C-alpha cells in the first residue's frame, strides 16, 4: 500500500478507536441510568430510591393478580424469581398484561415497600408462535406433568 | 478483484455497468417485496399472544436491519473516500444519507405503531429506541453537514469523518437489548442458534428482509447514478448521453 494511503488508513482507524473509547467511557459512567427499570432484586436490596419516580420491571407472579371489583385498581406482584415487589395500579392495563408476562411499571416506591404505579407497560418476549402450536405445546406439557 | 476496484474509480464505468444491473435488481426487489408482503400479511399464522398486530414485524424488522446496514455502507464508503480519495466512494456515502434517514424513520414509526397495541405506549426512552433515534439524527447530521460546506471536497471529508465516528452507535443499537434492561425485546433472528420464531412466520420475514436489502441497493444505485450525472455534467460522455436521449 502507498505510504500516504497507509497513513490515512491509520488516521481512519485512530478516529474509530478514539470514538469507541469515548463512547465506551460515557456508557460505562452512565450504565445505571441507561437501564430502563430496576429489577425486583435491586429494589429488595435497597438500590432503588424511595419516594422518587422510578420504573420497576419483571414478570407478573402467577396467581398474584387481585382486581378490585369496585374500581380499576389492580394489585399484583412483580418478580424476577429472586425477589418480589408488590405493585398497585389504578387504570387501564395493556392487552398483553397477564400472569407470567413481563411488565415495566412506572411510579414511586413508598416507605412500606409497596410500588405505587402510575403507568404499566407490557414487555413481550422475542418468541413468536401460531396459536395452535402454543396449544399443542401446552397439551404436551400437561401430559408430561404428573 | 483489484482490477474491479480500480475500475470503480471511474464514475463513467460505474454508470454504464449499473445501468445494466438496475432492471434485473428492480425486478428482483418487486418480486421479493410483493411475495413477502402477501405471504406475511395474508398467509402467515397470527401470533399466539399478539394476534394480528405482530404482522408489523414484516416491515419493522427489515427496515431496522437495513437502517443499520445502510449506515455501515455509508461509513465504509466514507473510509474508502478518505483513504483512497475515490470519487465514487464519496458519491455513495453522500447518497446513503437520505436513504438511511428515510428507512430509519420507517423503522421508528412502525415501531411506535407496534408499541401502542403491545406495550401500551408509543414511545419509551429505553436504550434500543433512543440509540435508533440517535442513528436517525446521525443521518440528518451527515445530510446537513454536507450542505453546510460550499467547498464540496471539504464537505465530503467532514461527512466521512462524521459517519466514521457515528459507527460506534451500530454495535450499541445491536446489543443494547442485552447490555441494559430495556422494554424492547431481544433479537428474534439469531445467527448462532435457532431463531425463536415459528418457521411459518420466519420464512416470509426473511423474504421481506431480502426484499428490503434489494430495495436499498436499487435506491442507492438510482441516487448514485443521478449524482454521477450531475457531477460529470460537463464531461464529454455525459453530453453525448444527453444528446442521444434528447435525440
Amino acid at each position: 500500500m502507498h505510504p500516504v494511503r497507509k497513513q490515512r488508513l491509520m488516521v481512519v482507524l485512530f478516529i474509530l478507536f478514539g470514538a469507541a473509547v469515548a463512547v465506551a467511557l460515557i456508557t460505562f459512567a452512565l450504565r445505571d441510568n441507561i437501564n430502563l427499570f430496576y429489577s425486583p432484586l435491586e429494589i429488595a436490596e435497597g438500590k432503588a430510591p424511595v419516594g422518587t419516580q422510578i420504573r420497576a420491571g419483571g414478570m407478573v407472579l402467577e396467581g398474584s393478580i387481585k382486581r378490585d371489583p369496585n374500581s380499576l385498581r389492580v394489585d399484583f406482584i412483580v418478580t424476577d424469581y429472586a425477589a418480589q415487589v408488590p405493585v398497585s395500579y389504578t387504570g387501564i392495563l395493556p392487552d398483553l398484561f397477564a400472569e407470567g408476562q413481563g411488565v415495566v411499571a412506572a411510579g414511586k416506591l413508598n416507605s412500606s415497600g409497596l410500588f405505587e404505579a402510575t403507568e404499566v407497560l407490557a414487555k413481550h418476549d422475542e418468541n413468536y408462535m401460531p396459536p395452535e402450536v402454543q396449544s399443542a405445546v401446552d397439551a404436551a406439557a400437561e401430559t408430561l406433568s404428573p | 478483484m483489484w482490477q474491479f476496484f480500480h475500475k470503480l474509480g471511474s464514475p463513467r464505468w460505474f454508470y454504464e455497468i449499473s445501468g445494466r444491473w438496475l432492471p434485473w435488481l428492480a425486478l428482483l426487489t418487486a418480486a421479493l417485496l410483493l411475495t413477502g408482503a402477501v405471504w406475511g400479511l395474508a398467509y402467515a399464522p397470527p401470533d399466539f399472544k399478539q394476534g394480528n398486530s405482530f404482522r408489523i414485524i414484516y416491515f419493522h424488522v427489515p427496515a431496522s436491519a437495513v437502517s443499520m446496514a445502510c449506515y455501515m455502507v455509508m461509513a465504509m464508503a466514507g473510509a474508502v473516500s478518505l483513504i483512497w480519495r475515490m470519487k465514487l466512494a464519496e458519491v455513495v456515502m453522500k447518497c446513503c444519507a437520505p436513504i438511511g434517514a428515510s428507512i430509519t424513520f420507517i423503522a421508528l414509526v412502525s415501531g411506535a405503531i407496534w408499541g401502542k397495541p403491545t406495550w401500551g405506549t408509543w414511545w419509551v426512552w429505553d436504550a434500543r429506541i433512543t440509540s435508533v433515534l440517535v442513528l436517525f439524527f446521525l443521518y440528518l447530521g451527515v445530510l446537513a453537514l454536507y450542505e453546510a460546506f460550499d467547498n464540496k471536497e471539504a464537505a465530503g471529508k467532514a461527512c466521512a469523518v462524521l459517519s466514521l465516528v457515528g459507527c460506534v452507535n451500530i454495535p450499541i443499537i445491536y446489543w443494547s437489548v442485552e447490555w441494559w434492561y430495556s422494554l424492547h425485546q431481544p433479537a428474534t433472528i439469531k445467527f448462532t442458534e435457532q431463531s425463536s420464531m415459528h418457521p411459518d412466520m420466519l420464512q416470509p420475514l426473511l423474504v421481506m428482509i431480502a426484499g428490503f436489502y434489494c430495495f436499498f441497493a436499487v435506491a442507492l444505485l438510482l441516487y448514485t447514478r443521478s449524482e454521477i450525472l450531475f457531477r460529470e455534467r460537463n464531461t464529454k460522455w455525459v453530453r453525448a448521453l444527453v444528446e442521444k436521449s434528447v435525440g
Side-chain angles (χ1 to χ4, degrees), chain A residues 13-44:
Chain A
L13 290 179
F14 181 76
I15 291 171
L16 270 179
F17 178 75
V21 168
V23 171
L25 286 174
I26 292 170
T27 47
F28 183 75
L30 296 176
R31 62 194 180 282
D32 290 336
N33 295 320
I34 297 175
N35 285 327
L36 185 70
F37 52 83
Y38 289 96
S39 70
L41 186 64
E42 286 171 324
I43 292 172

Side-chain angles (χ1 to χ4, degrees), chain B residues 2-247:
Chain B
W2 276 108
Q3 206 191 350
F4 180 75
F5 194 68
H6 280 295
K7 274 187 184 165
L8 273 180
S10 152
R12 179 184 178 180
W13 181 82
F14 179 81
Y15 185 85
E16 281 163 4
I17 190 111
S18 65
R20 259 178 276 158
W21 297 340
L22 204 53
W24 301 104
L25 202 55
L27 210 65
L28 181 67
T29 307
L32 283 173
L33 285 182
L34 215 64
T35 317
V38 172
W39 189 0
L41 298 183
Y43 292 101
D47 182 54
F48 71 115
K49 266 183 200 149
Q50 297 180 38
N52 281 319
S53 67
F54 103 97
R55 293 183 199 276
I56 304 172
I57 201 173
Y58 294 115
F59 290 90
H60 179 69
V61 168
S64 313
V66 173
S67 72
M68 289 193 281
C70 176
Y71 198 91
M72 291 315 286
V73 172
M74 182 168 86
M76 278 189 277
V80 170
S81 80
L82 277 184
I83 297 167
W84 282 280
R85 298 277 189 270
M86 192 194 277
K87 266 194 267 175
L88 182 65
E90 199 199 299
V91 174
V92 167
M93 177 196 72
K94 191 207 159 193
C95 294
C96 274
I99 305 170
S102 326
I103 292 182
T104 312
F105 185 74
I106 293 175
L108 283 169
V109 169
S110 62
I113 295 172
W114 195 6
K116 189 62 187 170
T118 48
W119 298 339
T121 182
W122 300 100
W123 189 265
V124 64
W125 292 101
D126 85 346
R128 170 60 72 80
I129 301 170
T130 310
S131 54
V132 175
L133 187 67
V134 169
L135 179 73
F136 180 60
F137 288 142
L138 278 170
Y139 280 125
L140 295 187
V142 171
L143 273 175
L145 190 62
Y146 192 87
E147 296 306 325
F149 282 88
D150 284 330
N151 176 354
K152 289 307 169 197
E153 201 180 323
K157 272 187 211 167
C159 288
V161 171
L162 176 59
S163 49
L164 278 173
V165 170
C167 246
V168 181
N169 194 30
I170 298 297
I172 293 182
I173 294 177
Y174 191 78
W175 281 294
S176 56
V177 286
E178 315 209 340
W179 290 343
W180 300 293
Y181 293 142
S182 63
L183 188 63
H184 196 289
Q185 70 278 17
T188 294
I189 300 174
K190 302 175 182 94
F191 296 105
T192 48
E193 47 188 307
Q194 209 185 351
S195 296
S196 49
M197 193 180 202
H198 194 272
D200 288 352
M201 303 154 124
L202 183 65
Q203 284 155 6
L205 180 59
L206 295 179
V207 173
M208 279 305 270
I209 292 175
F212 264 68
Y213 270 105
C214 288
F215 171 78
F216 165 61
V218 169
L220 185 59
L221 281 185
L222 285 175
Y223 258 94
T224 308
R225 284 162 61 83
S226 66
E227 179 75 16
I228 286 174
L229 285 187
F230 178 73
R231 290 192 182 196
E232 309 265 308
R233 61 191 177 280
N234 292 324
T235 60
K236 234 185 254 169
W237 70 273
V238 174
R239 279 167 193 274
L241 211 66
V242 171
E243 270 162 28
K244 212 169 91 184
S245 68
V246 172

Side-chain angles (χ1 to χ4, degrees), chain A:
Chain A
M1 201 188 257
H2 197 277
V4 178
R5 287 173 193 156
K6 199 172 229 173
Q7 197 187 355
R8 291 193 202 127
L9 177 67
M10 286 301 150
V11 171
V12 164
L13 290 179
F14 181 76
I15 291 171
L16 270 179
F17 178 75
V21 168
V23 171
L25 286 174
I26 292 170
T27 47
F28 183 75
L30 296 176
R31 62 194 180 282
D32 290 336
N33 295 320
I34 297 175
N35 285 327
L36 185 70
F37 52 83
Y38 289 96
S39 70
L41 186 64
E42 286 171 324
I43 292 172
E45 285 172 346
K47 284 182 187 159
V50 174
T52 52
Q53 187 77 16
I54 56 165
R55 290 195 192 86
M59 306 296 260
V60 179
L61 188 68
E62 270 93 356
S64 73
I65 299 181
K66 284 190 218 67
R67 289 176 198 270
D68 181 7
N70 301 319
S71 71
L72 286 176
R73 186 183 155 129
V74 185
D75 285 275
F76 56 93
I77 291 171
V78 170
T79 177
D80 55 2
Y81 302 108
Q84 298 182 345
V85 174
V87 178
S88 93
Y89 173 66
T90 305
I92 297 165
L93 290 161
D95 291 347
L96 284 190
F97 179 87
E99 289 174 354
Q101 269 283 304
V103 285
V104 174
K108 286 175 185 165
L109 197 63
N110 72 13
S111 48
S112 63
L114 178 72
F115 193 86
E116 294 164 343
T118 51
E119 184 187 37
V120 173
L121 303 177
K123 178 171 160 59
H124 67 86
D125 59 21
E126 70 275 26
N127 299 309
Y128 300 91
M129 263 188 277
E132 55 273 17
V133 174
Q134 177 58 35
S135 48
V137 168
D138 289 345
E142 229 156 81
T143 52
L144 283 177
S145 61

